[in-house]
Amino acid sequence: MMRILKWGLAALIVAIFGLAIWLWDPVGSNPPPDKLAAAASNYDAEIIRDTWGVPHIYGARDADVAFGVAYAHAGDDYETIQNVVAATRGVLARYDGAGAAPTDYIVALLGVWDTVDVRYETDVPDNVKAIAEAYAAGLNLYAAENPEATWAGLAPFTAEDVVAGFVFKTPFFYGLDSTLMELFGDERQAAIALDPSGGREAFHAVPHGQPERGSNAFAVAPERSGDGVTRLVINSHQPMTGPVAWWEAHLISEEGLNITGGLFPGTPLILHGFNQDLGWANTVNKPDLADVYRLEVDEDGTRYRLDGEWHDFKTETVTIRVGLLGPFAFKAKRTLKHSVHGPVIEAEHGTYAIRYAGRGEIRQLEQYYRLNKAGSLDEFMDAMSMNALPSINYIYADKAGNIAFIHNAQYPDRVAGWEWRKDLPGDRSDLIWQDYLPFEAVPMLINPESGFVYNANNTPYSATDGADNLKPEDFPVAIGLQENETNRSLRIAELTGEGEPIGRARLLDIKFDQSYAEGSQAEEVIEAVLAEDWSDDDRLAAAADHLRAWDKRTNRENTHAALGVLTVIREIRSSIDGSPPPAPEDAFREAVDWLMTHHGRIDPEWGEVNRLVRGDVSLPLDGGPDTLRAIYPAEIGDTGILAAAAGDTWIALVEWDEVGEQRAEVIHQFGAATLDETSAHYADQAPLFADMKWRRALIERAAVEENAERTYRPAWSD
């Protein structure tokens, strides 16, 4: 018996030892600091942090500025930048575990690095490569100076990382990640989280319900403003933290850059903002840009039928390394399949191929570079005509008084007559589109007669309050344009439309409006609740009377808004992310229960519930989900508050007077110091943001120097 036990113990030890050998997979070490910092000597950037901590980055060349952008942004949000790089490389699961494995799989499935490997050298111009190389050098200098904060094996950062980041992330903005996750067969609709919600969970698969990515944008021409001033409001609704949260910077070079705006971690240039001559705001749009094909496959799954013939799948095996403890990782091997349609997904309910806008595109950074350098409407439209960005609306204004709306996307050139939003037969090659419609076919409205353009994530057929709105009959059905209105777009229509002047005060009243419109989802839910007979429950009957008295506003003093918003919020979210909402009467009951549990009453002031929380700072907020003052919580949790997680974030009001003189005011929801809770700039803008106030943007060098808090030049010293 003892001999058997000894042999059993020995076998167990051997098995454990063998498993340890198989799981042994250290991530490796980073290069020594002096090697990481070697390229820094090629660049010279001056960074002036103003009294709000905002960096103004100067350089002789555009590349010098990109170098400074990387170094400055790393100083504020290095952890998130590394998260973005690891996700882009498809190695995030090695650092973050199984929750990130779907993202690594998607990177491989979409061929992000196949695109970069094939097209980087030939299709990325030298001046764009120079920007990407300089940004990588700035990150590497920061890594050299901060080895303890740098993820093991992640450095050195490369120019290809920068370009690949655009290839990877841009299709997410029109919802490609959601389409893919649904096809994987999960019963819950899911997406890739772009907000870590207090942890390192960005790029993890999560059920729908994460903070929304929406936006408002407005432009008013001088003839409509009433005072001869051209105005632009930049107001995207992004997560307040994470890889698509705004960081503000001002970029100035002797080669023509002079632009202020918002950047995401990992991007070297302004994504939306303003220079001295023009500005633009982006809003998320959701045209139909991804097509799903049902494939007929043979018994062993190695071939698919097309035009009556069997074709072999193109296959490759990839290894996804899922981090365990320390140097150990589980190595999951997955076979990737591609058909002529595109990437193939095998699920229990069928085999599908997907074809999508942005597939194989690598010119995104080039287009942003050209937009950053544009100085007129013609130059801006020339940059837009590259059509390298798979989606995103543009609202434009300039000092010459031009305004414009562009429902931008790479629109597939599809065969007419099919319902492209539904699954398509995968056995017909005539349904596999090969190209995009030309830029001239993109819906756009330039200098409409009303002198006013807007977008609030709504249909492009409502972009102005004049008679020259775009019309459905002007576009082919197969283009797949969205037809929805949001509460915000309905509310804009209620607040405009009479041709009255829209001056500064009126424009800001519209932007910060806190009400739900007639015909909105919120109103429909409330009407459904009030149509119920609650007479058999005194508590709910009293709550229904309280709800009936709600004026549909979400000002912080409102004592009806908490019950109202909690009743409608999940219905509003359902139209954005596809998550199934509760029935109105159930949502109402749950709202009453939540308020009684956490506040002991159904009528707390909205500002007690709706809060901006940042470290030790907790401030009451006006606004709510899908109001023009957009505020979204991450969840309806058990803390008794709805902590803002998305919505209004970095906002700008840009003005050019009759002689072209510029004035700009901006605000960030928190401050310049993204991660450093000890910094004075971690939450210094939060009180202004909560009170819907501004700070003056510093545009001229003299004003920057007058308000300088710190000036430095990134450089390596042993």
Side-chain angles (χ1 to χ4, degrees):
M1 185 66 179
M2 290 298 296
R3 180 174 296 181
I4 293 174
L5 290 175
K6 288 180 179 179
W7 279 108
L9 180 60
L12 179 60
I13 292 172
V14 170
I16 293 173
F17 185 71
L19 180 63
I21 292 175
W22 186 74
L23 293 175
W24 180 262
D25 186 34
V27 292
S29 58
N30 294 317
D34 57 346
K35 185 174 182 180
L36 274 177
S41 61
N42 298 325
Y43 305 98
D44 182 20
E46 180 185 27
I47 302 171
I48 303 178
R49 296 272 188 171
D50 65 26
T51 51
W52 293 99
V54 174
H56 304 258
I57 305 165
Y58 295 85
R61 304 169 299 167
D62 296 341
D64 293 320
V65 174
F67 170 77
V69 167
Y71 189 86
H73 202 169
D76 289 332
D77 202 3
Y78 188 43
E79 180 79 1
T80 307
I81 291 173
Q82 293 182 94
N83 186 287
V84 169
V85 172
T88 298
R89 289 182 185 172
V91 299
L92 187 59
R94 183 62 187 86
Y95 297 95
D96 273 9
T103 295
D104 291 350
Y105 180 82
I106 287 174
V107 170
L109 182 70
L110 300 185
V112 170
W113 286 92
D114 293 336
T115 297
V116 174
D117 291 344
V118 170
R119 298 192 60 188
Y120 180 82
E121 288 300 330
T122 57
D123 293 0
V124 178
D126 288 344
N127 62 340
V128 178
K129 285 191 180 86
I131 294 294
E133 290 165 358
Y135 186 86
L139 290 184
N140 286 325
L141 174 60
Y142 191 87
E145 293 177 347
N146 298 273
E148 72 291 341
T150 303
W151 298 6
L154 196 63
F157 304 99
T158 69
E160 289 84 351
D161 288 328
V162 179
V163 172
F166 288 94
V167 177
F168 169 51
K169 279 194 297 188
T170 48
F172 281 17
F173 280 88
Y174 65 80
L176 179 64
D177 57 317
S178 297
T179 301
L180 291 168
M181 296 299 290
E182 288 168 17
L183 289 176
F184 288 149
D186 191 339
E187 291 182 1
R188 300 173 301 168
Q189 291 186 318
I192 299 299
L194 294 181
D195 168 24
S197 298
R200 235 175 64 176
E201 296 179 355
F203 297 109
H204 286 209
V206 296
H208 271 317
Q210 63 176 309
E212 288 76 6
R213 299 185 291 280
S215 299
N216 305 323
F218 311 89
V220 183
E223 61 270 19
R224 182 68 184 274
S225 67
D227 56 7
V229 176
T230 304
R231 292 186 175 90
L232 172 70
V233 173
I234 304 171
N235 179 208
S236 83
H237 302 156
Q238 291 297 114
M240 292 186 174
T241 58
V244 288
W246 293 117
W247 178 76
E248 181 188 346
H250 179 199
L251 318 184
I252 314 97
S253 82
E254 295 174 15
E255 293 181 338
L257 272 180
N258 187 3
I259 186 166
T260 297
L263 304 86
F264 293 153
T267 59
L269 296 168
I270 298 299
L271 300 182
H272 72 174
F274 56 92
N275 60 32
Q276 61 270 43
D277 299 313
L278 57 83
W280 71 92
N282 290 133
T283 69
V284 170
N285 59 6
K286 292 289 183 72
D288 178 21
L289 300 177
D291 293 318
V292 176
Y293 300 83
R294 288 180 176 265
L295 301 182
E296 179 185 351
V297 299
D298 62 9
E299 289 187 2
D300 59 6
T302 61
R303 297 184 301 170
Y304 63 98
R305 186 181 292 276
L306 184 67
D307 295 334
E309 298 182 359
W310 291 104
H311 297 260
D312 292 330
F313 286 111
K314 179 183 176 182
T315 64
E316 66 172 310
T317 300
V318 298
T319 300
I320 297 173
R321 291 171 165 80
V322 180
L324 301 173
L325 293 174
F328 299 103
F330 177 78
K331 293 178 276 291
K333 293 188 180 296
R334 294 290 183 267
T335 298
L336 303 180
K337 292 184 178 180
H338 285 75
S339 68
V340 294
H341 314 74
V344 171
I345 296 172
E346 296 175 301
E348 292 184 3
H349 42 75
T351 301
Y352 306 87
I354 188 166
R355 198 167 188 83
Y356 61 94
R359 180 171 179 256
E361 181 61 75
I362 200 172
R363 301 170 299 151
Q364 299 95 335
L365 179 56
E366 179 185 357
Q367 181 164 339
Y368 278 118
Y369 189 23
R370 291 175 62 178
L371 290 171
N372 276 234
K373 299 292 287 281
S376 66
L377 176 61
D378 287 345
E379 291 178 2
F380 182 85
M381 294 301 292
D382 185 57
M384 290 299 302
S385 70
M386 284 185 62
N387 206 27
L389 302 175
S391 67
I392 299 294
N393 292 311
Y394 282 77
I395 294 287
Y396 168 94
D398 65 29
K399 71 177 183 181
N402 296 301
I403 63 172
F405 161 71
I406 306 170
H407 196 62
N408 178 69
Q410 293 177 320
Y411 291 102
D413 188 4
R414 296 165 169 142
V415 173
W418 288 80
E419 293 188 65
W420 288 90
R421 293 186 186 274
K422 297 183 178 180
D423 291 353
L424 300 158
D427 61 349
R428 296 182 48 156
S429 61
D430 61 322
L431 298 182
I432 307 172
W433 49 268
Q434 301 298 325
D435 208 347
Y436 303 116
L437 296 175
F439 180 68
E440 292 73 23
V442 170
M444 63 184 77
L445 190 60
I446 300 175
N447 290 325
E449 64 179 29
S450 73
F452 175 56
V453 290
Y454 66 89
N455 186 264
N457 311 116
N458 57 295
T459 175
Y461 306 133
S462 300
T464 183
D465 61 347
D468 49 355
N469 256 313
L470 303 174
K471 298 177 175 58
E473 55 266 28
D474 295 334
F475 302 93
V477 174
I479 198 172
L481 298 180
Q482 59 187 110
E483 299 178 353
N484 68 297
E485 299 287 358
T486 61
N487 174 72
R488 289 167 288 122
S489 64
L490 292 172
R491 190 68 182 139
I492 293 167
E494 288 182 349
L495 294 170
T496 61
E498 301 298 328
E500 69 284 357
I502 302 177
R504 175 191 170 92
R506 184 168 180 79
L507 181 60
L508 293 181
D509 284 345
I510 295 170
K511 185 271 147 298
F512 287 115
D513 182 78
Q514 301 147 25
S515 297
Y516 290 105
E518 291 186 12
S520 65
Q521 284 179 302
E523 185 179 69
E524 291 173 0
V525 171
I526 298 303
E527 288 180 350
V529 170
L530 297 180
E532 293 286 322
D533 181 4
W534 302 101
S535 60
D536 61 346
D537 187 320
D538 291 344
R539 185 184 67 140
L540 293 178
D545 288 341
H546 187 71
L547 183 63
R548 186 176 288 106
W550 186 30
D551 60 4
K552 310 300 190 299
R553 295 184 64 217
T554 57
N555 52 303
R556 67 181 70 173
E557 304 86 4
N558 198 305
T559 58
H560 299 265
L563 179 59
V565 172
L566 284 164
T567 300
V568 305
I569 185 172
R570 284 177 287 176
E571 184 72 32
I572 291 171
R573 277 195 159 175
S574 72
S575 65
I576 300 172
D577 63 21
S579 57
E585 60 272 21
D586 293 335
F588 172 64
R589 286 190 187 93
E590 292 167 12
V592 171
D593 290 343
W594 190 91
L595 286 169
M596 291 302 298
T597 298
H598 297 292
H599 291 270
R601 62 189 193 276
I602 60 170
D603 61 346
E605 289 191 356
W606 180 227
E608 292 181 36
V609 178
N610 195 40
R611 310 288 293 186
L612 182 69
V613 180
R614 177 73 160 169
D616 295 332
V617 173
S618 180
L619 301 167
L621 289 173
D622 303 272
D626 204 24
T627 64
L628 286 160
R629 171 51 158 176
I631 301 294
Y632 298 88
E635 61 180 354
I636 304 172
D638 58 4
T639 63
I641 67 169
L642 302 180
D648 280 2
T649 47
W650 183 77
I651 313 173
L653 170 64
V654 190
E655 301 173 294
W656 291 272
D657 67 16
E658 294 171 287
V659 296
E661 289 294 317
Q662 184 183 57
R663 175 187 173 93
E665 293 175 295
V666 296
I667 195 64
H668 188 278
Q669 74 277 6
F670 294 141
T674 308
L675 295 179
D676 184 2
E677 296 188 31
T678 66
S679 171
H681 305 301
Y682 185 67
D684 57 340
Q685 296 184 52
L688 289 175
F689 176 86
D691 289 339
M692 297 175 287
K693 295 180 179 178
W694 305 92
R695 58 178 177 81
R696 182 76 176 265
L698 303 177
I699 299 170
E700 300 299 330
R701 172 93 188 203
V704 173
E705 291 179 342
E706 183 179 345
N707 291 274
E709 181 179 83
R710 179 189 175 205
T711 300
Y712 56 105
R713 291 181 179 272
W716 175 247
S717 58
D718 294 322

